[in-house]
Amino acid sequence: MLKVRIIPCLDVDGGRVVKGVNFVDLVDAGDPVEQARLYDQAGADELCFLDINASSDNRDTMLDVVARTADECFMPLTVGGGVRTLDDIRNLLLAGADKASVMTTAVKNPEFVREAAQKFGSQCVVVAIDAKSVSGEGTPNEKFEVFTHGGREPTGIDAVAYARQVADLGAGEILLTSMDRDGTKAGFNLPLTRAVSDAVSIPVIASGGVGTLDHLVEGVTEGHASAVLAASIFHFGTYTVGEAKAYMQRAGVPVRLDQTPQPGDNNA
Amino acid sequence: MLLSSLSVAIIDYGSGNLRSAAKAFERSAREAGLIAEVQITSDPDQVAAASHIVLPGVGAYGDCIRGLRACDGMVDVLNRAVIEGGRPFLGICVGMQLLATVGREFGDHDGLGWIDGEVVPLAPGDASLKIPHIGWNDMNITNGAGHPVLAGLDTGAHAYFVHSFHFKPSSPDHILAEADYGGAVAAIVGRDNIIGTQFHPEKSQNTGLRLITNFLNWSPPQ
């Protein structure tokens, strides 16, 4: 049976982790490669790097981070932030990323998704969608709109229709972030997650708002997500990946426990 | 050639990034105390000289087989080294699917035809299952029990899959391990000196590294 993926996300700026786990045994807590190695050992199912300041100066720095991570972490790696051209995707894949996450470029030019999928295969094209409720959270027939620029720029595009569009164009996965919930620790926007997950035949990764382990469970059971992405709860050491998986398992969500140190293990 | 010195040729025919695969082979060799030279190559002569041959692959079936055939002399060398020469061979993902007689992705494409069967779209019995099949799935070791390349991999071991098409060998004898995705999906296929994994061992953490180590230690009976 396919397992639900737990994906820690690392925000990287200029080659440094912005919010990182402050483990005592880290030589350099700001080094994304060290953080990646820890998550690899902790049994993360996949890793996501988000380049939050993807200026052209920073691009080569990020490629170096990706290459050094791929040299020693033998797990799937998704990289997003500032992916604008097919060459950007090619460079990330050549550095060792498995998937490139595309956001603003796909909003401006959805055909880019088709071009990328034809060139590199759907399996490495993740379309990131930042969405907000525009009819008021919890209202009947709630409407969700795609936003860009960290939730500041409305696009007028319906998030569910857009998800269908990019899936049809060849996206392999959707990384769906609720901008209403991002950073709130109030849990995923479940109606949004469910509306998008049920609308497309490709996997949806739920993101934005995780504060408790119950939130991870709800993303799957109520949001119908195939994978859950979280940053803060892992970064700040609130929970380990092993604790998250053990909790989800008890709640009846299928997770991969092999190669995952469990709470109580000496090396957990 | 010294018995302890291996040379691994990872065939580069323009399909995806081979860096992680090369690094995974280097790591596995190092941890197993093996001396192995790992080369990413599109040169048929280097493939002909290698002790172990690896065929990776991502993307569409037709693009992959066309890319492989476009490497002048490569398919001939592969046939000589693997089919006639009995050299250990590992196909990964689409590289595993290329072992089939035919791939039916965006039209019909002849594969290498080393393991009789066809590559067809995943059609899970449960309509709620997503396509592609992406993520960690556990394996049921079927005919692979006792196979040297599967040593230490038990039923229940997880590996990382990402694919929309799957290989259906004509003979169940060639299916060494299966995964369940709304029906049985071939996870590992093989015969004689040939083995193929639908999943990505280079992305499957310790389970994958173990399989790669086993492959490097493998001396198929001639």
Side-chain angles (χ1 to χ4, degrees), chain B residues 100-136:
Chain B
T101 322
V102 61
R104 305 194 192 279
E105 181 174 3
F106 302 122
D108 288 356
H109 309 276
D110 288 341
L112 290 170
W114 291 353
I115 294 180
D116 196 38
E118 57 178 5
V119 175
V120 296
L122 282 169
D126 176 350
S128 74
L129 292 175
K130 303 285 190 169
I131 305 286
H133 172 213
I134 300 183
W136 295 82

Side-chain angles (χ1 to χ4, degrees), chain A residues 1-3 5 40 44-46 67 71-72 74-76 93-96 98-99 123 172-173 197 200-203 226 256 258-259, chain B residues 17 19-20 23-24 27 58-59 63 130-138 156-158 160 162 180-181 202-207 209:
Chain A
M1 176 194 262
L2 185 68
K3 302 306 183 291
R5 280 169 287 156
D40 187 27
D45 296 311
E46 188 168 329
D71 281 357
E72 45 184 318
F74 299 101
M75 66 192 301
L93 298 178
L94 287 174
D98 298 284
K99 312 175 193 178
Q123 83 289 336
E173 278 182 295
S197 298
V200 296
S201 62
I202 59 177
S226 298
R256 176 183 67 116
D258 58 341
Q259 305 183 51
Chain B
N17 164 50
R19 184 189 171 100
S20 337
K23 292 290 171 187
R27 160 81 79 94
V58 294
D63 289 345
K130 303 285 190 169
I131 305 286
H133 172 213
I134 300 183
W136 295 82
N137 205 332
D138 58 304
H158 286 84
Y160 183 77
V162 47
D180 176 41
Y181 197 60
E202 78 281 16
K203 293 290 165 185
S204 295
Q205 295 179 339
N206 290 334
T207 296
L209 296 177

Side-chain angles (χ1 to χ4, degrees), chain A residues 95-113:
Chain A
D98 298 284
K99 312 175 193 178
S101 170
V102 186
M103 191 172 68
T104 311
T105 304
V107 172
K108 287 184 184 158
N109 173 23
E111 277 299 313
F112 180 72
V113 176

